[in-house]
Amino acid sequence: MENDVNPPPDGTAPPIVLTRRRINLIFSALLAGMLVAALDQTIVSTSMPTIVGELGGVSHMAWVTTAYLLATTLVMPVYGKFGDLWGRRTLFLVAIGLFTVASIGAALAPDFTWFVVWRGVQGLGGGGLMILSQAIIADIVPARERARYMGPIGALFGLSAVAGPLVGGFFTDTAALGWEWCFWINVPVGVGAFLIGWFALSLPRRRSTTPLDVAGIVALSATTTSLVLFTDLGGSDGWTDPWTLALAAAFVVCAVAFVLVERRAVEPIVPLSLFRNPTFVVATAMGMAVGLGMFSAIAFMPTFLQMSSGLSAANSGLLMLPMTAGIILTIQSSAGVILRTGRYKRFTTAGVAVILATMVWMTTLAGDTSLWTIGAMFLALGCGLGLIMQNVVLAAQNAVPATQIGTATSTNNYFREVGATLGVAVFGTLFTSRLAENLTGALTGNAEQAAAAGITSPDTLVPSAVDAAGDPLRTAIVDAYADSLAPVFWYLVPILAVALLLSFVLREIPLAEHAGMVARGEAVESEEELATLLRSGAQAAVPAPGPTPQKRDDDALPV
């Protein structure tokens, strides 16, 4: 597929020349920003059992992840639309700044409630880093060449997966430091990323007199929040509880209001026209389903590993490395094929199939499951994720005009994060409600040993206390975790089965030949093209097929 290529509007600054050096500088700024968010996630995941134990929030542990994901989800459409309207550089710097300030707040949190609040603020920054990075890459690199940038991104997350558990575990296990340093470490990294972005992220700024869709932002935020809270309360207090039913009603009302508002908005935050594009809809639905399964498994497995293995936070985090290896392996291998052939659909289908099979495998998890087996599970999960997550975003971006890259990227990610948030909320509620009951039984059945070990409540349970307790109490607690976690994976299987069916109907559109900025007339690919453009008085656009209409689903490659 090829995007329309337009000349720059009259009166605007000359187009940027997208030399290889400039692209590499911009990409380095994006990597620095993504490193901040990636490192934070891997550091915190292995420290979570100790954090919630010390702050007294074991039974509400799911809120730590839910708060971050909910905040991330709420701001994604805002970053995407505002980036399309005004440019992405300032927004990217704001996102880094928010994330860094929130890290300071989390490190200083006096109790569990404030810790959850600051994790939510971190999500406001993390959502921008995720969306803007993907949109900027689409701005500076053609879709077909975009695959070669997946490798460095995968390597970055691999580096974070290695460094994060080691650093986070070291801080958590060192009495002189403590888990707070898992957040203090974000401050110098965040400042460094901000400075790199300030000097290296040279992108065009735009002016827009279009009125902001404030009503749409409010309605979408209310819809998302009521849906997540409904899911949380439904799992903990029952689906017929009055508050649960009230939130369900609020969700329906807010969703209807959002659709009505967007139909009348001059520049809607989420254009409803996107949902008339079959390729975009299928790619987005797949991302939502896979996000639900992915985040559910990743969010709670480190806790189980620490409790069951008796390993330190650092060593239990290293058990997640096979997943990272799987992601890097399949991203690197699939990127090369996509670059040569332009074909990406086959990888989305294979990715969903692998994840589905892995979820079924994870239902066999038990207290005595070997670490080798768990490592193999994570390797398989990583292979599946590496095949699909980048490709559904690529499919969504490639299905819309260059002027909607940010909006399409944010909307696709929004629904993926909705799936992730719902997955963590439902999965976490089912897991923690089962866990609280099973742990109470384990402590009651071994009351004398629990009292001697200083374990008085499930809410203050930390891995070090479990490891020091000895059998039979330790075995009872580990079995309680396994018996609470493994059955919940079955709830994810039907959803992933639907995603597999959707992968078969995803239509494969030829990948765009021009970067988004080139297609919009904001950039050219060489100094010669810029000179030609200036000599012609901005009447000649960059070399391109001309005003040929952008290809859509009717031009899909044969499957």
Side-chain angles (χ1 to χ4, degrees):
M1 183 190 74
E2 296 181 351
N3 289 314
D4 296 338
V5 179
N6 303 310
D10 292 338
T12 61
I16 291 173
V17 181
L18 285 178
T19 62
R20 183 56 54 187
R21 180 176 180 274
R22 183 186 292 271
I23 291 174
N24 289 338
L25 282 174
I26 294 174
F27 190 62
S28 69
L30 301 183
L31 287 178
M34 286 186 285
L35 176 63
V36 175
L39 192 62
D40 174 78
Q41 288 299 293
T42 54
I43 286 178
V44 173
S45 63
T46 55
S47 305
M48 193 62 65
T50 300
I51 294 173
V52 298
E54 290 189 7
L55 296 179
V58 172
S59 61
H60 302 289
M61 180 170 54
W63 269 106
V64 176
T65 307
T66 300
Y68 184 92
L69 289 175
L70 175 58
T72 299
T73 306
L74 290 177
V75 297
M76 278 183 173
V78 178
Y79 280 113
K81 173 57 72 174
F82 286 8
D84 281 345
L85 293 178
W86 301 324
R88 311 191 209 281
R89 181 181 184 273
T90 300
L91 291 172
F92 191 81
L93 297 175
V94 167
I96 294 177
L98 268 177
F99 196 94
T100 305
V101 170
S103 296
I104 298 174
L108 297 174
D111 54 40
F112 182 74
T113 300
W114 274 108
F115 181 75
V116 170
V117 169
W118 284 114
R119 284 296 286 167
V121 178
Q122 276 191 309
L124 299 180
L129 294 175
M130 184 185 306
I131 291 302
L132 295 170
S133 296
Q134 294 178 1
I136 292 171
I137 290 173
D139 279 341
I140 64 175
V141 180
R144 185 154 182 164
E145 295 182 23
R146 216 167 293 158
R148 71 172 62 174
Y149 290 85
M150 295 178 184
I153 292 173
L156 171 70
F157 280 91
L159 172 65
S160 300
V162 174
L166 290 173
V167 175
F170 172 75
F171 289 151
T172 303
D173 297 336
T174 303
L177 297 174
W179 60 262
E180 292 86 354
W181 277 90
C182 295
F183 297 95
W184 287 123
I185 192 64
N186 287 339
V187 177
V189 177
V191 170
F194 185 92
L195 292 175
I196 293 174
W198 181 270
F199 291 106
L201 200 61
S202 54
L203 295 171
R205 296 180 180 178
R206 309 185 191 106
R207 294 180 179 178
S208 175
T209 58
T210 304
L212 293 180
D213 184 19
V214 176
I217 294 173
V218 172
L220 182 60
S221 299
T223 301
T224 306
T225 303
S226 58
L227 176 60
V228 173
L229 293 180
F230 159 73
T231 308
D232 270 352
L233 288 183
S236 60
D237 298 345
W239 301 105
T240 58
D241 181 82
W243 281 108
T244 303
L245 295 177
L247 286 168
F251 165 69
V252 174
V253 171
C254 292
V256 172
F258 172 71
V259 173
L260 294 177
V261 166
E262 295 302 89
R263 291 181 64 181
R264 297 188 175 188
V266 177
E267 190 67 53
I269 196 74
V270 179
L272 299 182
S273 60
L274 288 175
F275 301 99
R276 293 193 291 271
N277 185 322
T279 300
F280 176 85
V281 170
V282 172
T284 300
M286 288 177 61
M288 181 176 180
V290 174
L292 192 155
M294 175 182 71
F295 285 102
S296 299
I298 294 173
F300 298 101
M301 280 298 289
T303 300
F304 168 76
L305 288 173
Q306 289 185 48
M307 294 295 184
S308 64
S309 66
L311 297 175
S312 66
N315 290 333
S316 67
L318 290 175
L319 293 176
M320 301 286 285
L321 287 181
M323 184 177 70
T324 303
I327 292 174
I328 295 176
L329 174 66
T330 51
I331 282 182
Q332 292 276 31
S333 57
S334 62
V337 177
I338 293 172
L339 183 61
R340 292 194 309 271
T341 67
R343 309 300 292 265
Y344 54 88
K345 174 178 175 176
R346 65 191 69 174
F347 298 114
T348 63
T349 302
V352 179
V354 171
I355 294 173
L356 174 60
T358 306
M359 287 296 111
V360 175
W361 190 9
M362 284 184 166
T363 63
T364 65
L365 205 63
D368 59 353
T369 301
S370 71
L371 295 182
W372 287 103
T373 301
I374 294 174
M377 291 177 179
F378 278 125
L379 177 64
L381 182 62
C383 288
L385 294 177
L387 287 170
I388 186 172
M389 295 311 298
Q390 294 295 330
N391 288 323
V392 294
V393 176
L394 177 64
Q397 291 175 336
N398 193 58
V400 301
T403 53
Q404 289 187 321
I405 283 178
T407 303
T409 303
S410 63
T411 304
N412 178 273
N413 279 269
Y414 170 81
F415 280 98
R416 188 192 69 190
E417 293 299 315
V418 165
T421 306
L422 289 175
V424 170
V426 175
F427 191 98
T429 301
L430 292 171
F431 170 52
T432 54
S433 61
R434 289 170 180 259
L435 181 61
E437 180 180 346
N438 290 343
L439 284 178
T440 300
L443 297 181
T444 302
N446 301 273
E448 292 184 6
Q449 189 181 2
I455 303 175
T456 58
S457 168
D459 277 346
T460 57
L461 192 64
V462 295
S464 57
V466 175
D467 189 45
D471 288 326
L473 178 58
R474 180 188 175 280
T475 299
I477 292 174
V478 171
D479 288 341
Y481 268 84
D483 293 343
S484 303
L485 184 62
V488 184
F489 286 114
W490 280 117
Y491 291 93
L492 305 178
V493 170
I495 298 170
L496 291 169
V498 172
L500 182 61
L501 295 177
L502 288 173
S503 72
F504 290 117
V505 300
L506 178 68
R507 303 193 70 182
E508 194 168 37
I509 302 175
L511 294 175
E513 301 275 341
H514 297 283
M517 285 170 54
V518 174
R520 293 192 299 268
E522 297 171 342
V524 293
E525 296 171 346
S526 69
E527 294 286 353
E528 291 76 13
E529 292 174 11
L530 178 60
T532 301
L533 186 65
L534 295 177
R535 282 197 304 268
S536 64
Q539 296 301 311
V542 294
T548 303
Q550 187 179 14
K551 299 179 181 179
R552 290 293 185 272
D553 288 322
D554 52 343
D555 290 318
L557 290 171
V559 179

